[in-house]
Amino acid sequence: CRPAAAAAARRKADPAARGILIEITSTGAVRATGSDLLLWASEEIGIEGGEVIWAGVIPLTVAAISGAVSLEVDGPTLKITTEDGGDYIIDVRPADGFPIAPELGGAWTEVVGLGPSLRTASKAMSADRAAPILCGVLLDGTDMVGSDGTVMITSALGAEVEASVVLPSTLVEVITAGWPGLGDGFVMAIDRGEDHLVAIHTGTGWAVAGAVDGEYPPWTDLLTAPSEGSGTALVNARSLAEAVAKTILITESAEPVVRLTMTDTGSIWIELDGEEGRASSHHIEAVDHDVTNDIVAIVPAGKFRTVLEAAPEVVWITIEEGRPIRVTGDGFDAVVSQIISEPEVGSK
């Protein structure tokens, strides 16, 4: 029920969509579907292809029941028995009126690497509804792209897809939350009709929603070659993320910024001047580096840490004056905007 609950929970006030639609087929399969009237998500367990012999709508709270269960229908109630012997008697609403998922006219296309790439790019997805085109993840040929205007993460797909479409945040969140363990087992369909629908099939279920309208910013313009005055260092991304996390422990700021110094000896220092005269600094040593002179960058600590935690274990960090910091690794590319003026007390 996890994907269905993730979809249904978005509009609890809508009587038609409130709850999870449970369908039992003649083959013994059980299908759970949730909707918020703009998004649908469904998962089926059992043998496909049978006719629906029973259907009803159950409360969202049932999604909290985990593990293997057995179902028994008794008139207007559904009895759920768990593998540890627990019994739940659930009142069932009629399935009439539950929103029907739209039909797609597009063909299904296998997208190699969609699962991992989608999860990686979504780390930079914006939550600001004032910029709706950034409230989603762009699929553009060979890459998935997420950006909130300050940070951008791109993750390479396993093969090129002849499409450019922005998957809405609702669809992205349901896929990443509903099927967190799936890797490459995704196929996708894009319906370029009036509703411009996008659907993702996971092998055990599917989710469908309308694509985000509008033109995504020219993201490739940010991935330019470094200039001669830049410095690069090969580092362990997890170690650098940990150093950032330790450095900002002294500040109470919700949005701390740090001073990042890449030295000509191969050290990377993270420093913060905190409140009330407090200061903190940590550093790591690069595996390899190409730095002629010390280079300093001022970056939002939270955004930089997000990129490092989403990145492969080993990455190249590129810093140059007046330009975003670049983080690159195997199938991964990201930029983090610098703060133009240095902060006074560790915050913007």
Side-chain angles (χ1 to χ4, degrees), residues 288-348:
D288 193 7
H289 69 284
D290 182 8
V291 185
T292 303
N293 299 299
D294 292 1
I295 304 175
V296 178
I298 309 299
V299 295
K303 304 288 188 182
F304 187 44
R305 187 177 170 191
T306 294
V307 167
L308 294 172
E309 291 176 346
E313 184 173 359
V314 178
V315 294
W316 283 97
I317 307 289
T318 302
I319 300 177
E320 58 183 302
E321 186 176 352
R323 296 179 64 178
I325 290 180
R326 184 100 173 256
V327 181
T328 56
D330 184 19
F332 180 92
D333 210 332
V335 294
V336 183
S337 296
Q338 289 197 47
I339 306 299
I340 301 303
S341 58
E342 190 163 347
E344 295 181 2
V345 289
S347 63
K348 287 190 276 186

Side-chain angles (χ1 to χ4, degrees), residues 204-329:
T204 60
W206 52 265
V208 59
V212 180
D213 292 329
E215 186 174 350
Y216 204 84
W219 61 275
T220 55
D221 291 354
L222 295 175
L223 306 180
T224 56
S227 66
E228 291 185 2
S230 64
T232 61
L234 184 66
V235 302
N236 183 293
R238 305 295 173 267
S239 298
L240 186 54
E242 184 178 356
V244 173
K246 289 179 178 178
T247 301
I248 63 176
L249 286 175
I250 66 164
T251 181
E252 298 177 0
S253 171
E255 298 182 349
V257 298
V258 293
R259 185 167 49 252
L260 189 70
T261 303
M262 184 180 292
T263 72
D264 58 6
T265 60
S267 297
I268 296 183
W269 285 86
I270 302 96
E271 302 168 284
L272 181 142
D273 298 325
E275 300 86 350
E276 300 178 358
R278 290 173 289 183
S280 176
S281 66
H282 290 80
H283 78 283
I284 67 168
E285 298 299 324
V287 178
D288 193 7
H289 69 284
D290 182 8
V291 185
T292 303
N293 299 299
D294 292 1
I295 304 175
V296 178
I298 309 299
V299 295
K303 304 288 188 182
F304 187 44
R305 187 177 170 191
T306 294
V307 167
L308 294 172
E309 291 176 346
E313 184 173 359
V314 178
V315 294
W316 283 97
I317 307 289
T318 302
I319 300 177
E320 58 183 302
E321 186 176 352
R323 296 179 64 178
I325 290 180
R326 184 100 173 256
V327 181
T328 56

Side-chain angles (χ1 to χ4, degrees), residues 108-134:
W108 291 99
T109 302
E110 183 176 3
V111 183
V112 180
L114 176 61
S117 293
L118 182 62
R119 274 189 281 272
T120 298
S122 69
K123 303 295 185 182
M125 182 174 62
S126 176
D128 184 2
R129 300 299 171 184
I133 195 66
L134 297 180

Side-chain angles (χ1 to χ4, degrees), residues 20-322:
I20 299 171
L21 173 65
I22 299 294
E23 297 172 298
I24 300 176
T25 73
S26 57
T27 61
V30 178
R31 182 185 306 124
T33 304
S35 173
D36 70 353
L37 306 183
L38 296 175
L39 165 76
W40 284 259
S42 182
E43 186 164 33
E44 185 168 342
I45 301 173
I47 303 172
E48 298 181 1
E51 296 182 358
V52 175
I53 59 174
W54 182 89
V57 179
I58 62 176
L60 282 171
T61 50
V62 175
I65 301 174
S66 60
V69 300
S70 62
L71 305 179
E72 181 181 340
V73 178
D74 184 10
T77 63
L78 180 68
K79 181 180 179 181
I80 302 177
T81 302
T82 64
E83 58 186 344
D84 61 1
D87 287 331
Y88 300 85
I89 307 299
I90 310 296
D91 289 329
V92 179
R93 297 197 340 255
D96 297 346
F98 193 87
I100 299 174
E103 295 184 2
L104 272 79
W108 291 99
T109 302
E110 183 176 3
V111 183
V112 180
L114 176 61
S117 293
L118 182 62
R119 274 189 281 272
T120 298
S122 69
K123 303 295 185 182
M125 182 174 62
S126 176
D128 184 2
R129 300 299 171 184
I133 195 66
L134 297 180
C135 295
V137 173
L138 171 69
L139 185 154
D140 192 9
T142 59
D143 297 279
M144 302 295 294
V145 183
S147 175
D148 65 1
T150 300
V151 60
M152 181 183 75
I153 294 176
T154 76
S155 183
L157 295 166
E160 184 173 3
V161 179
E162 293 183 4
S164 181
V165 62
V166 180
L167 282 59
S169 59
T170 51
L171 181 62
V172 173
E173 289 163 4
V174 164
I175 290 294
T176 55
W179 293 280
L182 287 181
D184 290 341
F186 291 91
V187 293
M188 189 168 82
I190 301 173
D191 187 341
R192 301 192 179 281
E194 183 177 344
D195 294 329
H196 198 190
L197 298 170
V198 178
I200 294 177
H201 197 290
T202 67
T204 60
W206 52 265
V208 59
V212 180
D213 292 329
E215 186 174 350
Y216 204 84
W219 61 275
T220 55
D221 291 354
L222 295 175
L223 306 180
T224 56
S227 66
E228 291 185 2
S230 64
T232 61
L234 184 66
V235 302
N236 183 293
R238 305 295 173 267
S239 298
L240 186 54
E242 184 178 356
V244 173
K246 289 179 178 178
T247 301
I248 63 176
L249 286 175
I250 66 164
T251 181
E252 298 177 0
S253 171
E255 298 182 349
V257 298
V258 293
R259 185 167 49 252
L260 189 70
T261 303
M262 184 180 292
T263 72
D264 58 6
T265 60
S267 297
I268 296 183
W269 285 86
I270 302 96
E271 302 168 284
L272 181 142
D273 298 325
E275 300 86 350
E276 300 178 358
R278 290 173 289 183
S280 176
S281 66
H282 290 80
H283 78 283
I284 67 168
E285 298 299 324
V287 178
D288 193 7
H289 69 284
D290 182 8
V291 185
T292 303
N293 299 299
D294 292 1
I295 304 175
V296 178
I298 309 299
V299 295
K303 304 288 188 182
F304 187 44
R305 187 177 170 191
T306 294
V307 167
L308 294 172
E309 291 176 346
E313 184 173 359
V314 178
V315 294
W316 283 97
I317 307 289
T318 302
I319 300 177
E320 58 183 302
E321 186 176 352

